[in-house]
Amino acid sequence: MKSAPNEHIFNHLIIQCNMKSSAYNYYLPYYGGVIFMNGLSEASFFVATNDKAKIYRTLIENPNTYADVFPDFIKRLRNQFFILDDVVDEQVLIQQKYESLCCPHDYQIMILPTYACNLRCWYCVQDHANVWLDDSYFESIKELIRYKLSNKEIENLRLSWFGGEPLTAYNKVLSFTSEMRTLARSLGKNFYSSITTNATLLNKERINALKEAGVTFYQITIDGDKSTHDKIKTISGKSAVEITMCNLAIIARHTPCVLRYNYSPSSLSPETIIRDITTYLPMDVRGKITLNLQPVWQEKSTLDTLDKVVHLMDLAKRNGISSSHKATGLCYVDFKHYDCIYPGGYVGKCENDVKDMRHGRLLPHGKVDFSSANKLHYLHRMVLDNEVCNNCRYLPMCWGPCSQQRFLQLKHYGKITCRWNDKDTEMAMCLRNKYLTDNHI
Protein backbone atom coordinates (compact mmCIF):
# COMPACT_ATOMS: atom_id res chain seq x y z
CA MET A 1 0.00 0.00 0.00
CA LYS A 2 1.50 3.33 -1.05
CA SER A 3 2.00 5.98 1.62
CA ALA A 4 -0.08 9.15 1.58
CA PRO A 5 1.93 12.06 0.12
CA ASN A 6 -0.31 14.75 1.61
CA GLU A 7 -0.89 13.10 4.96
CA HIS A 8 1.17 15.71 6.85
CA ILE A 9 -1.09 18.60 5.83
CA PHE A 10 -4.14 17.34 7.70
CA ASN A 11 -4.95 17.89 11.35
CA HIS A 12 -6.57 14.49 11.61
CA LEU A 13 -6.80 13.06 15.12
CA ILE A 14 -7.23 9.31 15.54
CA ILE A 15 -9.76 8.86 18.31
CA GLN A 16 -11.90 6.01 19.46
CA CYS A 17 -15.35 6.47 17.94
CA ASN A 18 -17.53 5.19 15.15
CA MET A 19 -15.99 5.26 11.70
CA LYS A 20 -17.15 5.90 8.15
CA SER A 21 -15.90 5.32 4.66
CA SER A 22 -14.52 8.43 2.95
CA ALA A 23 -16.74 10.00 0.31
CA TYR A 24 -13.60 10.40 -1.82
CA ASN A 25 -12.61 6.77 -2.33
CA TYR A 26 -12.17 5.57 -5.91
CA TYR A 27 -12.18 2.00 -7.21
CA LEU A 28 -10.65 1.73 -10.66
CA PRO A 29 -10.67 -1.45 -12.79
CA TYR A 30 -7.11 -2.18 -13.92
CA TYR A 31 -5.80 -5.28 -15.71
CA GLY A 32 -8.10 -7.79 -14.03
CA GLY A 33 -7.83 -6.17 -10.61
CA VAL A 34 -8.75 -2.89 -8.93
CA ILE A 35 -6.80 0.25 -7.99
CA PHE A 36 -7.95 1.67 -4.64
CA MET A 37 -7.29 5.41 -4.26
CA ASN A 38 -8.29 8.10 -1.80
CA GLY A 39 -8.69 11.66 -3.04
CA LEU A 40 -7.88 13.38 0.27
CA SER A 41 -4.51 11.72 0.89
CA GLU A 42 -3.82 10.48 -2.69
CA ALA A 43 -2.80 7.15 -1.17
CA SER A 44 -3.31 4.17 -3.47
CA PHE A 45 -2.82 0.43 -3.69
CA PHE A 46 -3.59 -2.32 -6.18
CA VAL A 47 -5.52 -5.54 -5.55
CA ALA A 48 -4.71 -8.05 -8.28
CA THR A 49 -8.05 -9.91 -8.52
CA ASN A 50 -11.65 -8.76 -8.52
CA ASP A 51 -12.62 -11.31 -5.85
CA LYS A 52 -10.05 -9.97 -3.40
CA ALA A 53 -10.98 -6.41 -4.33
CA LYS A 54 -14.57 -7.08 -3.30
CA ILE A 55 -13.35 -8.16 0.15
CA TYR A 56 -11.18 -5.07 0.55
CA ARG A 57 -14.01 -2.81 -0.53
CA THR A 58 -16.37 -4.48 1.96
CA LEU A 59 -13.90 -3.77 4.76
CA ILE A 60 -13.59 -0.12 3.73
CA GLU A 61 -17.33 0.42 3.43
CA ASN A 62 -18.12 -1.34 6.73
CA PRO A 63 -15.26 -0.32 9.05
CA ASN A 64 -17.16 -0.64 12.33
CA THR A 65 -18.12 -4.22 11.56
CA TYR A 66 -14.53 -5.34 10.94
CA ALA A 67 -12.54 -3.06 13.29
CA ASP A 68 -11.98 -5.82 15.86
CA VAL A 69 -11.38 -8.53 13.25
CA PHE A 70 -8.70 -6.69 11.23
CA PRO A 71 -7.46 -3.93 13.58
CA ASP A 72 -4.07 -3.36 11.94
CA PHE A 73 -5.51 -3.14 8.44
CA ILE A 74 -8.31 -0.81 9.54
CA LYS A 75 -5.77 1.42 11.31
CA ARG A 76 -3.71 1.62 8.12
CA LEU A 77 -6.78 2.57 6.11
CA ARG A 78 -7.59 5.27 8.65
CA ASN A 79 -4.08 6.69 8.43
CA GLN A 80 -4.57 7.02 4.67
CA PHE A 81 -8.13 8.40 4.98
CA PHE A 82 -9.94 5.57 3.21
CA ILE A 83 -11.68 5.36 6.58
CA LEU A 84 -12.43 8.34 8.83
CA ASP A 85 -13.90 8.96 12.24
CA ASP A 86 -17.56 9.92 12.09
CA VAL A 87 -16.81 13.35 13.53
CA VAL A 88 -14.39 14.30 10.75
CA ASP A 89 -15.70 16.93 8.33
CA GLU A 90 -14.22 16.06 4.93
CA GLN A 91 -14.89 19.55 3.61
CA VAL A 92 -12.39 20.83 6.19
CA LEU A 93 -9.81 18.33 4.95
CA ILE A 94 -10.41 19.46 1.36
CA GLN A 95 -9.88 23.07 2.44
CA GLN A 96 -6.63 22.15 4.19
CA LYS A 97 -5.39 20.27 1.13
CA TYR A 98 -6.31 23.15 -1.14
CA GLU A 99 -4.46 25.71 0.98
CA SER A 100 -1.33 23.55 0.88
CA LEU A 101 -1.50 22.93 -2.88
CA CYS A 102 -1.76 26.68 -3.52
CA CYS A 103 1.89 27.10 -2.43
CA PRO A 104 1.23 30.13 -0.20
CA HIS A 105 4.94 30.70 0.51
CA ASP A 106 6.01 30.94 -3.16
CA TYR A 107 5.87 33.81 -5.61
CA GLN A 108 5.84 32.19 -9.03
CA ILE A 109 6.29 34.26 -12.15
CA MET A 110 6.38 32.94 -15.71
CA ILE A 111 7.93 35.19 -18.36
CA LEU A 112 7.40 34.79 -22.09
CA PRO A 113 10.15 37.01 -23.53
CA THR A 114 8.80 36.39 -27.04
CA TYR A 115 6.32 34.36 -29.06
CA ALA A 116 9.03 33.73 -31.68
CA CYS A 117 10.40 30.22 -32.13
CA ASN A 118 13.10 28.64 -34.26
CA LEU A 119 10.84 25.62 -34.97
CA ARG A 120 7.27 25.02 -36.18
CA CYS A 121 5.64 22.04 -34.42
CA TRP A 122 2.23 21.15 -35.89
CA TYR A 123 0.50 20.78 -32.49
CA CYS A 124 1.70 24.10 -31.00
CA VAL A 125 -1.14 26.44 -29.99
CA GLN A 126 0.87 29.65 -30.52
CA ASP A 127 1.23 31.58 -33.77
CA HIS A 128 4.84 32.68 -33.04
CA ALA A 129 4.33 36.36 -33.75
CA ASN A 130 7.51 38.44 -33.77
CA VAL A 131 6.68 40.21 -30.49
CA TRP A 132 9.21 40.71 -27.67
CA LEU A 133 9.57 42.12 -24.19
CA ASP A 134 11.96 45.09 -24.37
CA ASP A 135 14.26 46.37 -21.62
CA SER A 136 11.70 48.82 -20.22
CA TYR A 137 9.31 45.95 -19.49
CA PHE A 138 12.04 43.96 -17.75
CA GLU A 139 12.66 46.94 -15.47
CA SER A 140 8.95 46.91 -14.60
CA ILE A 141 9.03 43.13 -14.03
CA LYS A 142 11.96 43.58 -11.66
CA GLU A 143 9.99 46.11 -9.63
CA LEU A 144 6.93 43.84 -9.65
CA ILE A 145 9.05 41.01 -8.26
CA ARG A 146 10.57 43.32 -5.65
CA TYR A 147 7.08 44.34 -4.55
CA LYS A 148 5.82 40.73 -4.35
CA LEU A 149 8.84 39.64 -2.32
CA SER A 150 8.08 42.34 0.25
CA ASN A 151 5.20 40.14 1.38
CA LYS A 152 6.40 38.40 4.56
CA GLU A 153 4.41 35.29 3.62
CA ILE A 154 6.66 34.75 0.58
CA GLU A 155 9.77 32.64 1.22
CA ASN A 156 10.64 31.55 -2.33
CA LEU A 157 10.93 33.21 -5.74
CA ARG A 158 10.30 30.78 -8.60
CA LEU A 159 11.09 32.31 -11.98
CA SER A 160 10.18 30.29 -15.08
CA TRP A 161 10.80 30.97 -18.77
CA PHE A 162 8.41 29.99 -21.54
CA GLY A 163 7.69 31.03 -25.12
CA GLY A 164 7.71 30.70 -28.10
CA GLU A 165 11.22 29.48 -27.61
CA PRO A 166 12.61 31.48 -24.68
CA LEU A 167 16.21 30.84 -25.68
CA THR A 168 15.75 32.94 -28.81
CA ALA A 169 16.20 35.64 -26.13
CA TYR A 170 19.14 33.82 -24.54
CA ASN A 171 21.11 36.90 -23.41
CA LYS A 172 18.09 38.42 -21.67
CA VAL A 173 17.18 35.10 -20.02
CA LEU A 174 20.75 34.75 -18.77
CA SER A 175 21.16 38.29 -17.41
CA PHE A 176 17.67 38.63 -15.87
CA THR A 177 17.86 35.23 -14.15
CA SER A 178 21.16 36.19 -12.56
CA GLU A 179 19.81 39.59 -11.53
CA MET A 180 16.68 38.10 -9.93
CA ARG A 181 18.71 35.55 -8.01
CA THR A 182 20.79 38.37 -6.57
CA LEU A 183 17.64 40.34 -5.71
CA ALA A 184 15.94 37.37 -4.03
CA ARG A 185 18.97 36.55 -1.92
CA SER A 186 19.40 40.19 -0.89
CA LEU A 187 15.84 40.06 0.48
CA GLY A 188 16.43 36.78 2.31
CA LYS A 189 14.39 34.67 -0.13
CA ASN A 190 15.22 31.35 -1.77
CA PHE A 191 15.57 31.40 -5.57
CA TYR A 192 14.66 28.80 -8.20
CA SER A 193 14.51 29.13 -11.96
CA SER A 194 13.31 26.85 -14.75
CA ILE A 195 13.17 26.89 -18.55
CA THR A 196 10.79 25.14 -20.94
CA THR A 197 12.71 24.74 -24.18
CA ASN A 198 13.18 22.59 -27.28
CA ALA A 199 16.92 22.60 -26.35
CA THR A 200 18.12 23.06 -29.94
CA LEU A 201 19.63 26.48 -29.20
CA LEU A 202 21.72 25.19 -26.31
CA ASN A 203 25.35 24.12 -26.22
CA LYS A 204 27.79 23.27 -23.45
CA GLU A 205 28.87 26.88 -22.97
CA ARG A 206 25.28 28.16 -22.68
CA ILE A 207 24.24 25.31 -20.38
CA ASN A 208 27.08 26.09 -17.98
CA ALA A 209 26.36 29.83 -18.12
CA LEU A 210 22.68 29.27 -17.31
CA LYS A 211 23.63 27.03 -14.40
CA GLU A 212 25.89 29.77 -13.02
CA ALA A 213 23.08 32.32 -13.48
CA GLY A 214 20.75 30.24 -11.31
CA VAL A 215 18.72 27.94 -13.60
CA THR A 216 17.78 24.94 -11.45
CA PHE A 217 15.39 22.98 -13.69
CA TYR A 218 14.62 22.29 -17.35
CA GLN A 219 11.61 20.96 -19.22
CA ILE A 220 12.59 19.75 -22.69
CA THR A 221 10.15 18.52 -25.32
CA ILE A 222 10.47 15.52 -27.61
CA ASP A 223 7.92 14.19 -30.10
CA GLY A 224 8.23 10.47 -30.55
CA ASP A 225 11.12 8.36 -31.75
CA LYS A 226 14.04 9.87 -33.66
CA SER A 227 12.36 9.61 -37.07
CA THR A 228 9.07 11.15 -35.88
CA HIS A 229 10.72 13.90 -33.84
CA ASP A 230 12.98 14.99 -36.70
CA LYS A 231 9.98 15.28 -39.02
CA ILE A 232 8.11 17.53 -36.55
CA LYS A 233 11.11 19.57 -35.43
CA THR A 234 13.01 20.16 -38.66
CA ILE A 235 16.51 21.66 -38.71
CA SER A 236 18.25 21.89 -42.07
CA GLY A 237 21.03 19.33 -42.38
CA LYS A 238 20.83 18.26 -38.72
CA SER A 239 18.93 15.91 -36.45
CA ALA A 240 16.87 17.75 -33.83
CA VAL A 241 16.87 14.62 -31.65
CA GLU A 242 20.66 14.41 -31.63
CA ILE A 243 21.02 18.08 -30.71
CA THR A 244 18.36 17.86 -27.99
CA MET A 245 19.54 14.62 -26.42
CA CYS A 246 23.23 15.56 -26.45
CA ASN A 247 22.36 18.80 -24.68
CA LEU A 248 20.16 16.91 -22.22
CA ALA A 249 23.07 14.62 -21.35
CA ILE A 250 25.13 17.71 -20.43
CA ILE A 251 22.30 19.33 -18.44
CA ALA A 252 21.52 16.18 -16.45
CA ARG A 253 25.03 16.00 -15.05
CA HIS A 254 24.11 18.81 -12.68
CA THR A 255 20.47 19.93 -13.17
CA PRO A 256 17.19 17.98 -12.88
CA CYS A 257 15.18 17.83 -16.09
CA VAL A 258 11.78 16.70 -17.28
CA LEU A 259 11.86 15.18 -20.74
CA ARG A 260 8.32 15.90 -21.90
CA TYR A 261 7.32 13.32 -24.47
CA ASN A 262 4.35 14.53 -26.55
CA TYR A 263 2.78 11.44 -28.06
CA SER A 264 -0.06 10.48 -30.33
CA PRO A 265 -1.30 6.87 -30.53
CA SER A 266 0.47 6.40 -33.86
CA SER A 267 3.85 7.63 -32.55
CA LEU A 268 3.88 5.56 -29.37
CA SER A 269 6.54 2.87 -29.90
CA PRO A 270 7.99 2.00 -26.46
CA GLU A 271 11.02 -0.07 -27.51
CA THR A 272 12.10 2.45 -30.14
CA ILE A 273 11.66 5.41 -27.80
CA ILE A 274 13.71 3.81 -25.02
CA ARG A 275 16.37 2.78 -27.52
CA ASP A 276 16.69 6.36 -28.74
CA ILE A 277 16.82 7.76 -25.21
CA THR A 278 19.38 5.29 -23.88
CA THR A 279 21.56 5.75 -26.97
CA TYR A 280 22.25 9.35 -25.99
CA LEU A 281 21.88 9.29 -22.20
CA PRO A 282 24.53 7.34 -20.25
CA MET A 283 23.39 5.54 -17.12
CA ASP A 284 25.09 7.99 -14.75
CA VAL A 285 22.85 10.94 -15.82
CA ARG A 286 19.50 9.16 -16.05
CA GLY A 287 18.72 9.63 -12.36
CA LYS A 288 18.15 13.38 -12.88
CA ILE A 289 15.69 12.85 -15.74
CA THR A 290 11.94 12.22 -15.53
CA LEU A 291 10.17 11.07 -18.69
CA ASN A 292 6.83 12.90 -18.66
CA LEU A 293 4.26 11.41 -21.04
CA GLN A 294 1.76 13.89 -22.44
CA PRO A 295 -0.85 12.91 -25.06
CA VAL A 296 -1.19 15.41 -27.90
CA TRP A 297 -4.57 16.97 -27.14
CA GLN A 298 -5.71 16.90 -30.79
CA GLU A 299 -5.75 13.07 -30.88
CA LYS A 300 -7.83 10.72 -28.72
CA SER A 301 -6.14 7.94 -26.72
CA THR A 302 -7.51 4.38 -26.46
CA LEU A 303 -7.07 1.39 -24.14
CA ASP A 304 -4.45 0.12 -26.57
CA THR A 305 -2.60 3.39 -25.99
CA LEU A 306 -2.71 2.78 -22.24
CA ASP A 307 -1.07 -0.63 -22.73
CA LYS A 308 1.76 1.03 -24.63
CA VAL A 309 2.12 3.74 -21.99
CA VAL A 310 2.41 1.17 -19.19
CA HIS A 311 4.97 -0.78 -21.23
CA LEU A 312 6.98 2.38 -21.92
CA MET A 313 6.99 3.39 -18.26
CA ASP A 314 8.11 -0.11 -17.25
CA LEU A 315 10.93 -0.02 -19.80
CA ALA A 316 12.01 3.43 -18.60
CA LYS A 317 12.13 2.25 -14.99
CA ARG A 318 14.25 -0.78 -15.93
CA ASN A 319 16.65 1.57 -17.69
CA GLY A 320 17.11 3.89 -14.72
CA ILE A 321 14.65 6.62 -15.77
CA SER A 322 11.67 7.65 -13.68
CA SER A 323 8.47 8.54 -15.53
CA SER A 324 5.15 10.27 -15.05
CA HIS A 325 1.93 10.53 -17.04
CA LYS A 326 -0.55 13.35 -17.57
CA ALA A 327 -3.07 13.33 -14.74
CA THR A 328 -5.21 16.08 -13.28
CA GLY A 329 -5.07 18.42 -10.34
CA LEU A 330 -4.69 22.05 -9.36
CA CYS A 331 -2.95 23.95 -12.17
CA TYR A 332 0.01 26.13 -11.22
CA VAL A 333 -1.75 29.20 -12.64
CA ASP A 334 -4.15 28.92 -9.69
CA PHE A 335 -1.42 29.07 -7.05
CA LYS A 336 -1.92 31.84 -4.51
CA HIS A 337 0.87 34.10 -5.80
CA TYR A 338 1.32 33.64 -9.54
CA ASP A 339 1.70 35.92 -12.58
CA CYS A 340 2.37 35.31 -16.25
CA ILE A 341 4.05 38.09 -18.26
CA TYR A 342 3.41 38.07 -22.01
CA PRO A 343 5.30 39.77 -24.86
CA GLY A 344 4.13 43.35 -25.16
CA GLY A 345 3.92 43.80 -21.39
CA TYR A 346 0.58 42.08 -20.74
CA VAL A 347 -0.10 40.26 -17.45
CA GLY A 348 -2.37 37.27 -16.99
CA LYS A 349 -2.33 33.68 -15.80
CA CYS A 350 -2.16 30.97 -18.48
CA GLU A 351 0.59 30.91 -21.11
CA ASN A 352 -2.01 29.54 -23.55
CA ASP A 353 -4.79 32.07 -22.95
CA VAL A 354 -7.40 32.36 -25.68
CA LYS A 355 -6.93 35.24 -28.10
CA ASP A 356 -9.93 37.34 -27.10
CA MET A 357 -9.05 37.34 -23.40
CA ARG A 358 -8.21 40.82 -22.11
CA HIS A 359 -5.20 41.01 -19.80
CA GLY A 360 -3.71 43.44 -17.35
CA ARG A 361 -1.00 45.87 -18.44
CA LEU A 362 2.42 46.08 -16.85
CA LEU A 363 3.15 49.65 -15.72
CA PRO A 364 6.36 51.34 -14.59
CA HIS A 365 7.45 50.86 -10.96
CA GLY A 366 6.05 47.31 -10.79
CA LYS A 367 2.35 48.14 -10.91
CA VAL A 368 -0.23 46.25 -12.98
CA ASP A 369 -3.36 47.84 -14.43
CA PHE A 370 -6.18 45.27 -14.45
CA SER A 371 -8.96 47.82 -15.07
CA SER A 372 -9.67 46.57 -18.62
CA ALA A 373 -8.91 42.89 -18.01
CA ASN A 374 -11.21 39.87 -17.91
CA LYS A 375 -10.19 38.87 -14.41
CA LEU A 376 -13.14 37.09 -12.79
CA HIS A 377 -11.85 33.78 -14.14
CA TYR A 378 -8.56 34.38 -12.28
CA LEU A 379 -10.36 33.60 -9.02
CA HIS A 380 -10.03 29.87 -8.60
CA ARG A 381 -11.76 29.88 -5.22
CA MET A 382 -15.04 30.34 -7.06
CA VAL A 383 -14.68 26.64 -7.98
CA LEU A 384 -14.76 25.67 -4.30
CA ASP A 385 -17.91 27.73 -3.86
CA ASN A 386 -19.52 26.31 -7.00
CA GLU A 387 -22.28 23.78 -6.31
CA VAL A 388 -21.34 21.52 -9.24
CA CYS A 389 -17.72 21.21 -8.10
CA ASN A 390 -18.33 21.36 -4.35
CA ASN A 391 -20.69 18.37 -4.49
CA CYS A 392 -18.46 16.34 -6.81
CA ARG A 393 -16.67 13.26 -5.47
CA TYR A 394 -13.64 14.08 -7.62
CA LEU A 395 -13.09 17.60 -6.24
CA PRO A 396 -9.89 16.90 -4.21
CA MET A 397 -8.21 15.36 -7.27
CA CYS A 398 -9.67 17.47 -10.09
CA TRP A 399 -10.15 20.97 -8.62
CA GLY A 400 -12.50 21.96 -11.41
CA PRO A 401 -11.96 23.80 -14.70
CA CYS A 402 -8.70 25.65 -15.30
CA SER A 403 -8.36 29.41 -15.78
CA GLN A 404 -8.84 29.22 -19.54
CA GLN A 405 -11.87 26.94 -19.23
CA ARG A 406 -13.40 29.21 -16.60
CA PHE A 407 -13.04 32.19 -18.93
CA LEU A 408 -14.88 30.38 -21.73
CA GLN A 409 -17.57 29.04 -19.40
CA LEU A 410 -18.27 32.46 -17.91
CA LYS A 411 -18.29 33.99 -21.38
CA HIS A 412 -20.71 31.47 -22.92
CA TYR A 413 -22.79 30.26 -19.95
CA GLY A 414 -22.33 32.92 -17.26
CA LYS A 415 -21.35 30.28 -14.68
CA ILE A 416 -18.80 27.61 -13.83
CA THR A 417 -19.64 24.11 -15.08
CA CYS A 418 -17.93 20.72 -15.07
CA ARG A 419 -14.70 20.57 -17.09
CA TRP A 420 -15.42 17.06 -18.42
CA ASN A 421 -17.75 15.76 -21.13
CA ASP A 422 -17.80 12.25 -19.64
CA LYS A 423 -16.73 12.83 -16.04
CA ASP A 424 -16.48 9.27 -14.73
CA THR A 425 -14.64 7.89 -17.75
CA GLU A 426 -12.20 10.80 -18.07
CA MET A 427 -11.48 11.04 -14.36
CA ALA A 428 -10.92 7.27 -14.18
CA MET A 429 -8.22 7.66 -16.83
CA CYS A 430 -6.64 10.56 -14.93
CA LEU A 431 -6.62 8.62 -11.67
CA ARG A 432 -5.08 5.58 -13.37
CA ASN A 433 -2.39 7.89 -14.73
CA LYS A 434 -1.80 9.19 -11.20
CA TYR A 435 -1.36 5.61 -9.95
CA LEU A 436 1.07 4.86 -12.79
CA THR A 437 3.13 7.94 -11.96
CA ASP A 438 3.28 7.09 -8.25
CA ASN A 439 4.67 3.67 -9.11
CA HIS A 440 7.22 4.77 -11.73
CA ILE A 441 8.63 8.01 -10.30
Side-chain angles (χ1 to χ4, degrees):
M1 188 182 292
K2 190 169 181 66
S3 62
N6 291 311
E7 186 173 336
H8 67 283
I9 71 173
F10 298 122
N11 299 318
H12 178 59
L13 301 177
I14 301 297
I15 59 176
Q16 296 299 316
C17 65
N18 287 334
M19 296 172 288
K20 62 184 177 183
S21 175
S22 171
Y24 302 101
N25 291 332
Y26 315 116
Y27 309 98
L28 311 165
Y30 186 72
Y31 289 107
V34 176
I35 297 169
F36 287 64
M37 183 177 293
N38 177 264
L40 298 171
S41 67
E42 300 184 18
S44 63
F45 61 94
F46 177 61
V47 180
T49 69
N50 283 318
D51 287 341
K52 288 184 178 178
K54 290 179 182 178
I55 296 172
Y56 278 67
R57 185 165 179 173
T58 298
L59 294 177
I60 290 173
E61 293 180 348
N62 301 276
N64 296 306
T65 302
Y66 296 101
D68 294 332
V69 183
F70 303 104
D72 292 339
F73 184 62
I74 294 296
K75 181 179 179 180
R76 196 169 184 181
L77 291 171
R78 291 175 83 185
N79 288 338
Q80 297 184 331
F81 299 173
F82 288 95
I83 294 171
L84 300 165
D85 296 325
D86 266 342
V87 296
V88 172
D89 183 348
E90 293 188 81
Q91 292 299 313
V92 173
L93 299 186
I94 288 177
Q95 185 66 36
Q96 290 177 348
K97 180 177 181 179
Y98 177 74
E99 295 296 338
S100 177
L101 290 175
C102 283
C103 300
H105 302 299
D106 294 352
Y107 175 51
Q108 306 203 31
I109 182 168
M110 176 180 285
I111 302 176
L112 284 66
T114 180
Y115 288 125
C117 184
N118 61 318
L119 301 175
R120 292 294 183 271
C121 303
W122 67 268
Y123 56 80
C124 187
V125 298
Q126 294 181 351
D127 58 11
H128 301 310
N130 190 30
V131 183
W132 303 74
L133 281 172
D134 62 29
D135 288 344
S136 65
Y137 287 127
F138 276 101
E139 283 300 311
S140 296
I141 295 170
K142 179 173 68 175
E143 293 308 312
L144 173 63
I145 291 173
R146 187 191 301 276
Y147 168 71
K148 294 289 187 176
L149 295 186
S150 68
N151 183 340
K152 292 182 179 180
E153 183 181 39
I154 303 299
E155 299 173 0
N156 309 300
L157 170 60
R158 298 185 184 274
L159 167 64
S160 60
W161 297 96
F162 200 81
E165 169 50 55
L167 292 179
T168 56
Y170 166 75
N171 289 329
K172 181 55 70 175
V173 169
L174 182 70
S175 62
F176 195 74
T177 300
S178 179
E179 188 177 0
M180 290 306 97
R181 181 178 63 172
T182 299
L183 174 63
R185 289 178 174 177
S186 72
L187 297 173
K189 313 294 184 180
N190 301 310
F191 178 80
Y192 308 90
S193 182
S194 63
I195 301 177
T196 298
T197 173
N198 60 47
T200 60
L201 298 178
L202 287 169
N203 54 41
K204 186 174 183 179
E205 180 182 3
R206 285 186 167 192
I207 290 168
N208 289 333
L210 289 165
K211 174 178 178 290
E212 292 303 314
V215 172
T216 54
F217 187 82
Y218 284 82
Q219 177 172 282
I220 294 173
T221 52
I222 193 168
D223 301 308
D225 58 27
K226 184 175 184 296
S227 174
T228 303
H229 182 86
D230 285 347
K231 289 176 182 176
I232 294 174
K233 290 179 166 59
T234 57
I235 301 176
S236 179
K238 298 179 181 179
S239 166
V241 159
E242 289 185 7
I243 296 172
T244 296
M245 299 304 284
C246 288
N247 284 328
L248 177 57
I250 299 170
I251 292 167
R253 293 202 174 277
H254 49 68
T255 305
C257 182
V258 163
L259 182 60
R260 174 177 170 135
Y261 174 69
N262 298 320
Y263 72 83
S264 60
S266 59
S267 70
L268 197 56
S269 176
E271 287 83 1
T272 306
I273 294 164
I274 292 299
R275 181 201 65 202
D276 290 343
I277 291 175
T278 56
T279 296
Y280 295 101
L281 301 178
M283 182 62 76
D284 63 335
V285 305
R286 296 176 194 172
K288 285 189 176 292
I289 297 168
T290 299
L291 181 65
N292 176 238
L293 305 176
Q294 293 283 339
V296 175
W297 66 270
Q298 292 94 336
E299 297 191 20
K300 188 173 180 62
S301 296
T302 63
L303 289 177
D304 179 58
T305 309
L306 178 62
D307 290 339
K308 292 181 179 179
V309 166
V310 172
H311 185 39
L312 175 54
M313 295 177 80
D314 287 340
L315 287 175
K317 190 173 185 177
R318 291 203 293 269
N319 282 276
I321 301 171
S322 62
S323 57
S324 61
H325 195 281
K326 178 179 175 63
T328 186
L330 186 67
C331 180
Y332 55 83
V333 308
D334 287 318
F335 290 171
K336 185 173 182 180
H337 308 287
Y338 175 87
D339 291 306
C340 183
I341 313 296
Y342 309 93
Y346 297 96
V347 183
K349 290 291 182 180
C350 179
E351 68 273 16
N352 293 322
D353 274 347
V354 294
K355 291 184 178 180
D356 60 343
M357 190 181 294
R358 299 192 306 275
H359 299 107
R361 288 285 299 179
L362 191 61
L363 302 175
H365 312 300
K367 304 297 183 182
V368 179
D369 178 11
F370 281 111
S371 61
S372 299
N374 301 116
K375 60 182 181 180
L376 181 60
H377 67 286
Y378 291 168
L379 306 176
H380 181 265
R381 185 166 291 278
M382 65 196 307
V383 170
L384 297 183
D385 297 330
N386 175 267
E387 185 176 356
V388 172
C389 290
N390 200 36
N391 293 330
C392 179
R393 61 191 298 264
Y394 299 115
L395 176 60
M397 295 296 289
C398 170
W399 299 111
C402 70
S403 172
Q404 186 181 112
Q405 291 171 324
R406 295 197 299 272
F407 171 77
L408 293 172
Q409 289 175 356
L410 290 168
K411 177 181 178 180
H412 296 299
Y413 311 120
K415 62 180 181 180
I416 300 298
T417 62
C418 183
R419 64 187 291 189
W420 307 109
N421 294 320
D422 183 352
K423 179 173 64 176
D424 289 331
T425 299
E426 292 172 291
M427 275 303 301
M429 181 64 73
C430 289
L431 296 174
R432 280 194 291 266
N433 291 345
K434 165 68 176 168
Y435 173 79
L436 282 173
T437 297
D438 287 345
N439 286 275
H440 288 84
I441 202 75

